[in-house]
């Protein structure tokens, strides 16, 4: 297999590209690796030495074609066992966008990896085997995408070549999925019939499915509107560090460094610092390249205020007329990530934006069956990969919004004090 | 609303700055691993931006194999002075002299693997709890699985099966005494992103990255620079070629590409149409399919 590598970057447009982060979910059998390999290959993101390696590996396995799935092969253990054990990140670019793929394994025990990959994604790619239709795994992945509030979902109905490229099969799967997804909160769902193996509707339009009038997968990824995925309304600036150069030139400089979680901040804005509640005005928004008039998510900037207020890491600068809740009793949907489940009234370190507090699990309301959405209020034994609703009580108030309004100020993690491991991911209800 | 979009380069920059500020907040004694290569120069540039107008609050650590390009050393010294940061050098030669590391023998001997010994010793000596590096996930398949905050046990080892999940932008840098983290702010950058960033920020680089005339020999499908550290076999011919380096490792293992790209613009064009990965010319990665994975598990970055 040879291919001329023409470049996606050879125009000046490269500097104006947007970034789209998407996650792929599906099992080995769904052809997920083949699909990613196909996207990388057909978008000409594969280098000659990588392709050569894959060709060699294919040969060693006795295959008569170059198996594109091998492009996503990972660690030694994974190759030996033919599985993916962890989230792998892959990159490719077209002249329109740069893409970050969080490639997560689809086995039942790897919910935590899917949740991890989904937490930063704008878009989820779900694979459905055209021969099998909507199965339990499809439902599980969709529920996770919905819980994590991924703004866009693309259902790729794969292996269309094995069902004679049948329009009826595609429509039936679409109907089944829509019936199930109506119970979920996914705003934007699209369906694309593909064959990852043959490349139909992945990068190039299929000649076999003239009945399909929609876009190819790559075109869809390039054109999905992601401009509204950030919250540009509620101004939230969690302070990371205080910058005090103490040099002759900047003797009295005191700036608050951080990344804008949401909203748009402008010089001159009336702001309140939480939790202290003191108000001031933004004196300037500074960057290394000079002061700027306005800053929005997800920019990293340094803010100076007109008044001298005692501010430190964990404080939050917000607009005076739009504040987050300051809450100590917190209701969260939690994905448990650790093999060791929580004991009743167990205490953990809780991290939320740039603050760290202690938290106690007061109650587990229910465990969610992520295949059926059934809420189990009887069995509250929580283990790895379980999703449940919990009541937490913290030592100090969190400056929080609900996750559905704000993915940054609405998310938290729990850390085991003894092992320092991240044991749970939480979304504030 | 539609104006509130960042370009991908600006978004990557914001992400890296956020990571660097988290390191400063979460750790007692962090350092930047500075090799003088383009990726660590980018990290240094981003650190400068993250803490402006204050100085970079981290010392620079250079693991000196003794097999450096003289140009890289010159650049390193000048840059460190310009930034006003402290430079800590861990010497591989000293590790060898002390008996902590054993030099490889043979024609393709390199000090790449034993750098890990010196790195771990330097971390221990200075009690660093976080070392910031310029590694990227697009470089190599073992690196594709790395976290931004990569936890290392007290032996400096990476356990790919037992990594901390990283969700949203919440990073957990808590560790026990003696353990430490490697932190990679450029995790989501590709080679192309790095070059585009260097171009758009006009970042100074060692001259080795630009096409220049150099004495080289042909070995393992690449142009290997002639230096005091390699033994030239009888059947190898020294020639002068116009080359440039896509990555900078030790002078003994870093091969150059024939090139006319002597400006950043030309380099970006060249990288854009490159058909080989940048590490394709690195002998250290060619040894086996899992050489990076194996080295990382032992404490390499």
């Amino acid at each position: 297999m040879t291919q001329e590598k023409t470049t996606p970057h050879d125009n000046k447009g490269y500097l104006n590209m947007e970034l789209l982060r998407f996650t792929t979910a599906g099992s080995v059998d769904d052809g997920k690796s083949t699909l990613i390999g196909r996207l990388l290959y057909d978008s000409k993101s594969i280098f000659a030495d990588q392709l050569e390696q894959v060709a060699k590996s294919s040969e060693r396995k006795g295959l008569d074609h170059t198996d594109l799935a091998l492009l996503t092969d990972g660690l030694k253990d994974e190759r030996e066992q033919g599985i993916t054990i962890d989230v792998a990140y892959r990159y490719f670019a077209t002249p329109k966008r740069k893409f970050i793929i969080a490639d997560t394994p689809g086995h039942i025990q790897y919910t935590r990896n899917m949740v991890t990959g989904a937490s930063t994604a704008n878009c989820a790619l779900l694979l459905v085997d055209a021969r099998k239709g909507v199965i339990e795994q499809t439902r599980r992945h969709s529920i996770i995408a919905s819980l994590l509030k991924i703004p866009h979902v693309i259902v790729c109905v794969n292996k269309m070549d094995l069902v004679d490229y049948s329009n009826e099969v595609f429509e039936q799967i679409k109907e089944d999925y829509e019936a199930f997804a109506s119970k979920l909160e996914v705003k934007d769902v699209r369906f694309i019939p593909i064959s990852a193996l043959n490349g139909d509707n992945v990068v190039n339009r299929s000649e076999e499915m003239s009945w399909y009038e929609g876009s190819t997968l790559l075109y869809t990824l390039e054109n999905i509107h992601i401009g509204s995925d950030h919250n540009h309304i509620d101004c939230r600036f969690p302070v990371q560090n205080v910058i005090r150069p103490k040099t002759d030139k900047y003797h009295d400089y005191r700036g608050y460094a951080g990344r804008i979680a949401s909203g748009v901040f402008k010089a001159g804005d009336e702001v309140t610092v939480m939790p202290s509640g003191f108000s001031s005005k933004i004196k300037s928004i500074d960057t290394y390249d000079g002061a700027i008039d306005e800053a929005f998510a997800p920019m990293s900037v340094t803010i100076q205020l007109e008044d001298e207020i005692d501010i430190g890491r964990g404080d939050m600068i917000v607009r005076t007329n739009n504040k987050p809740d300051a809450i100590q009793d917190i209701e969260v949907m939690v994905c448990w990530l650790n093999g060791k489940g929580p004991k009743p009234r167990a205490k953990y370190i809780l991290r939320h934006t740039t603050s760290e507090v202690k938290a106690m699990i007061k109650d587990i309301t229910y465990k969610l069956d992520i295949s059926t959405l059934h809420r189990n209020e009887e069995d509250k034994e929580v283990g790895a990969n379980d999703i449940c609703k919990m009541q937490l009580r913290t030592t100090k108030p969190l400056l929080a919004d609900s996750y559905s309004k704000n993915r940054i100020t609405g998310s938290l993690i729990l850390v085991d004090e003894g092992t320092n491991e991240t044991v749970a991911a939480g979304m504030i209800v | 609303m539609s104006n509130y979009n960042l370009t991908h380069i600006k978004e990557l920059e914001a992400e890296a700055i956020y990571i660097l500020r988290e390191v400063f907040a979460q750790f007692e004694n962090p350092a930047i691993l500075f090799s003088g290569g383009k990726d660590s120069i980018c990290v240094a540039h981003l650190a400068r931006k993250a803490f402006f107008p204050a100085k970079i609050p981290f010392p620079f650590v250079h693991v000196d194999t003794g097999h450096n390009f003289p140009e890289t050393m010159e650049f390193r010294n000048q840059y460190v002075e310009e930034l006003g940061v402290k430079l800590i050098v861990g010497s591989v030669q000293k590790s060898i002299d002390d008996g902590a590391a054993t030099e490889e023998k043979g024609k393709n001997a390199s000090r790449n693997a034993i750098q890990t010994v010196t790195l771990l010793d330097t971390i221990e000596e200075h009690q660093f709890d976080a070392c910031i590096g310029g590694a990227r996930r697009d470089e190599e398949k073992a690196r594709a699985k790395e976290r931004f905050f990569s936890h290392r046990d007290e032996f400096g080892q990476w356990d790919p099966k037992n990594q901390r999940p990283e969700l949203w932008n919440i990073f957990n840098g808590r560790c026990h005494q003696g353990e430490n983290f490697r932190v990679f702010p450029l995790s989501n950058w590709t080679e192309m992103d790095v070059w585009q960033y260097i171009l758009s920020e006009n970042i100074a680089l060692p001259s080795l990255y630009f096409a220049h005339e150099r004495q080289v020999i042909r070995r393992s499908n690449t142009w290997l620079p002639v230096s005091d550290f390699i033994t030239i076999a009888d059947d190898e011919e020294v020639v002068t070629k116009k080359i440039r380096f896509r990555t900078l490792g030790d002078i003994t293992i870093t091969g150059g590409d024939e090139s006319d790209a002597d400006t950043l613009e030309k380099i970006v064009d060249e990288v854009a149409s490159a058909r080989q990965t940048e590490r394709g010319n690195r002998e250290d990665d060619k040894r086996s399919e899992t050489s990076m994975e194996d080295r990382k598990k032992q404490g390499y970055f």
Side-chain angles (χ1 to χ4, degrees), chain B residues 19-34 57-61 88 119 122-124 126-133 148-152 172-176 178-185 301:
Chain B
I19 299 288
L20 287 161
R21 289 168 169 176
E22 280 303 288
V23 174
F24 179 62
Q26 293 196 28
F27 296 94
E28 301 267 314
N29 195 17
I32 289 181
L33 297 173
F34 188 78
F58 315 120
F60 283 23
V61 170
I88 294 164
L119 174 64
T122 310
I123 290 172
E124 202 173 310
H126 295 270
Q127 303 276 301
F128 294 125
D129 51 1
C131 291
I132 305 161
F148 278 94
F149 277 36
S150 175
H151 178 257
R152 303 301 167 99
N172 173 9
R174 295 183 67 99
C175 63
H176 294 292
E179 299 176 345
N180 61 77
F181 276 81
R182 304 292 163 78
V183 181
F184 304 112
F301 44 92

Side-chain angles (χ1 to χ4, degrees), chain A residues 125-139:
Chain A
L125 233 118
L126 299 185
L127 265 110
V128 174
D129 186 326
R131 296 167 304 173
K132 296 179 188 157
V134 175
I135 57 172
E136 185 181 326
Q137 185 178 267
T138 322
R139 288 195 285 272

Side-chain angles (χ1 to χ4, degrees), chain B residues 31-47 56 58-65 68 71-81 83 85-90 115 119 131-134 203-206 248 301:
Chain B
I32 289 181
L33 297 173
F34 188 78
S35 69
K38 66 178 193 314
D39 299 313
S40 61
I41 292 169
C42 267
V43 170
H45 183 80
L46 287 158
I56 296 174
F58 315 120
F60 283 23
V61 170
H62 181 227
V63 176
D64 181 356
T65 59
N68 306 296
E71 292 92 334
T72 315
M73 290 299 96
E74 199 183 303
F75 184 91
R76 178 197 80 182
N77 295 339
Q78 216 178 324
Y79 196 50
V80 162
E81 200 185 307
L83 294 173
V85 294
K86 187 179 165 195
L87 175 71
I88 294 164
V89 178
Q115 296 185 70
L119 174 64
C131 291
I132 305 161
I203 299 171
L205 292 180
L248 292 185
F301 44 92

Side-chain angles (χ1 to χ4, degrees), chain A residues 3-5 7-10 14-19 21 47-50 53 57 60 73-79 81 84-91 98 100 112 115-116 119-120 148 227 230 232 240-241 243-245 250 253 257-259 264 266 287-289 294 296-302 313 337 349 351-354 356 403 407-408 411-413 415 418-422 425-427, chain B residues 1-15 17-22 24-26 45 48-55 137-138 141-148 158 160-176 179 187-193 196-197 199-201 246 265 268-269 271-281 289-290 293-294 297:
Chain A
Q3 183 191 38
E4 208 45 49
K5 189 174 186 319
T7 159
H9 313 300
D10 49 6
Y14 191 85
L15 287 174
N16 292 318
M17 282 161 44
E18 289 174 322
L19 184 58
R21 299 173 198 246
F47 292 98
D49 49 336
Q50 289 173 314
Q53 244 184 28
S57 304
R60 228 176 297 138
D73 246 9
L75 306 172
K76 208 188 314 184
D77 289 340
E78 299 174 307
R79 281 196 298 278
Q81 296 163 39
T84 317
I85 53 171
D86 206 336
V87 188
Y89 294 88
R90 315 197 185 279
Y91 305 84
K98 174 195 162 98
I100 300 179
R112 66 173 237 169
V115 169
T116 305
S119 72
T120 51
L148 273 288
H230 281 289
H232 290 309
Q240 276 186 287
N241 324 107
I243 294 190
R244 301 200 61 190
Y250 296 100
Y253 188 96
R259 192 173 191 192
V264 181
K266 294 187 172 76
T287 72
Y288 177 84
D289 305 300
E294 59 176 11
F296 50 90
M299 287 168 75
S300 286
V301 295
T302 302
R313 179 173 168 87
L337 308 167
I349 292 160
R351 288 201 165 193
H352 168 260
T353 67
T354 56
E356 183 180 289
Y403 185 79
R407 281 173 101 183
I408 301 296
S411 54
L412 56 86
I413 61 168
V415 177
T419 64
N420 289 328
E421 286 173 325
T422 304
M427 292 149 279
Chain B
M1 278 298 153
S2 58
N3 293 334
Y4 297 126
N5 275 341
L6 290 182
T7 63
H8 82 287
I9 290 279
K10 282 287 169 196
E11 190 170 336
L12 291 174
E13 181 191 59
E15 179 179 82
I17 289 175
Y18 175 80
I19 299 288
L20 287 161
R21 289 168 169 176
E22 280 303 288
F24 179 62
Q26 293 196 28
H45 183 80
R48 200 179 201 178
K49 287 193 151 189
F51 302 100
F52 175 84
K55 277 199 316 193
R137 288 178 182 145
D138 80 318
K141 59 194 166 208
R143 286 198 165 150
K145 308 249 152 165
E146 263 291 8
R147 299 293 191 260
F148 278 94
W158 179 60
K161 278 187 175 168
N162 191 22
Q163 303 196 75
R164 291 183 186 175
E166 284 181 344
L167 297 112
W168 301 290
N169 61 349
I170 312 175
F171 295 94
N172 173 9
R174 295 183 67 99
C175 63
H176 294 292
E179 299 176 345
S187 289
N188 280 331
W189 298 47
T190 60
E191 184 193 13
M192 189 61 189
D193 296 330
Q196 285 286 351
Y197 189 65
L199 175 64
S200 63
E201 297 281 307
R246 275 173 86 185
E265 284 83 359
V268 169
D269 285 343
V271 171
S273 55
R275 299 200 64 249
Q276 298 277 335
T277 59
E278 59 176 342
R279 296 190 75 93
N281 274 348
E289 234 188 301
T290 57
E293 183 181 342
D294 297 339
K297 282 181 178 166

Side-chain angles (χ1 to χ4, degrees), chain A residues 17-267:
Chain A
M17 282 161 44
E18 289 174 322
L19 184 58
L20 176 83
R21 299 173 198 246
F22 68 93
T23 120
T24 51
S27 68
V28 188
D29 311 329
D30 292 332
K32 179 173 61 99
S33 300
T34 310
L35 176 62
I36 294 173
R38 175 59 68 185
L39 267 176
L40 298 177
Y41 181 75
D42 283 356
S43 65
K44 302 186 170 59
S45 312
I46 302 299
F47 292 98
D49 49 336
Q50 289 173 314
L51 201 61
E52 209 174 291
Q53 244 184 28
V54 167
K56 266 191 216 155
S57 304
S58 304
E59 217 176 276
R60 228 176 297 138
K61 290 189 164 189
L63 301 172
D64 53 4
H65 65 283
T66 298
D67 185 0
L68 291 178
L70 297 174
L71 281 168
T72 64
D73 246 9
L75 306 172
K76 208 188 314 184
D77 289 340
E78 299 174 307
R79 281 196 298 278
E80 281 163 7
Q81 296 163 39
I83 53 154
T84 317
I85 53 171
D86 206 336
V87 188
Y89 294 88
R90 315 197 185 279
Y91 305 84
F92 72 102
T94 68
K96 283 198 107 152
R97 276 184 181 163
K98 174 195 162 98
F99 299 95
I100 300 179
I101 312 176
D103 180 15
T104 66
H107 322 283
I108 189 160
Q109 64 270 41
Y110 292 115
T111 303
R112 66 173 237 169
N113 292 328
M114 272 185 276
V115 169
T116 305
S119 72
T120 51
N122 312 77
C123 177
L125 233 118
L126 299 185
L127 265 110
V128 174
D129 186 326
R131 296 167 304 173
K132 296 179 188 157
V134 175
I135 57 172
E136 185 181 326
Q137 185 178 267
T138 322
R139 288 195 285 272
R140 237 171 25 227
H141 294 164
S142 306
I143 289 168
I144 290 171
S146 151
L147 275 172
L148 273 288
K149 301 276 184 279
I150 299 183
H152 315 278
V153 169
I154 302 173
V155 179
C156 294
V157 181
N158 190 23
K159 306 199 180 179
M160 288 300 292
D161 51 319
L162 299 181
V163 294
D164 293 330
Y165 298 102
S166 154
N167 189 7
E168 286 73 46
V169 171
F170 177 70
E171 289 300 329
Q172 185 60 49
I173 291 173
K174 199 172 150 184
E175 205 175 289
D176 292 348
Y177 187 89
E178 277 170 341
F180 148 78
S182 61
K183 288 179 268 176
L184 304 175
E185 287 174 55
V186 186
K187 283 183 286 185
D188 174 23
V189 187
R190 298 155 201 238
F191 300 85
I192 305 177
I194 63 167
S195 162
L197 190 69
N198 300 335
D200 294 274
N201 289 335
V202 178
V203 171
N204 304 311
R205 283 204 75 83
S206 171
E207 287 169 15
E208 309 286 346
M209 293 178 273
S210 50
W211 46 265
Y212 174 68
E213 288 168 352
S215 311
T216 62
L217 176 60
L218 185 66
Y219 185 90
T220 309
L221 289 170
E222 281 182 314
N223 291 283
I224 277 185
H225 177 68
I226 52 172
S228 315
D229 291 357
H230 281 289
N231 174 335
H232 290 309
I233 296 161
D234 309 303
C235 296
R236 308 281 184 260
F237 184 77
V239 174
Q240 276 186 287
N241 324 107
V242 181
I243 294 190
R244 301 200 61 190
K246 294 179 190 155
T247 54
D248 291 345
K249 190 174 170 195
Y250 296 100
H251 194 267
D252 295 321
Y253 188 96
R254 180 193 279 267
Y256 307 105
R259 192 173 191 192
I260 292 166
S262 57
V264 181
F265 287 86
K266 294 187 172 76

Side-chain angles (χ1 to χ4, degrees), chain B residues 88-136:
Chain B
I88 294 164
V89 178
S91 162
V92 173
Q93 186 61 52
K94 189 170 174 297
S95 302
I96 294 168
D97 295 344
D98 293 350
T102 312
E103 184 129 41
E104 280 185 4
K105 295 195 171 64
K107 180 177 155 193
N108 284 320
S110 102
R111 289 182 167 181
N112 185 283
I114 54 175
Q115 296 185 70
T116 303
V117 175
T118 312
L119 174 64
L120 296 181
D121 285 350
T122 310
I123 290 172
E124 202 173 310
E125 186 190 335
H126 295 270
Q127 303 276 301
F128 294 125
D129 51 1
C131 291
I132 305 161
R136 309 186 319 264

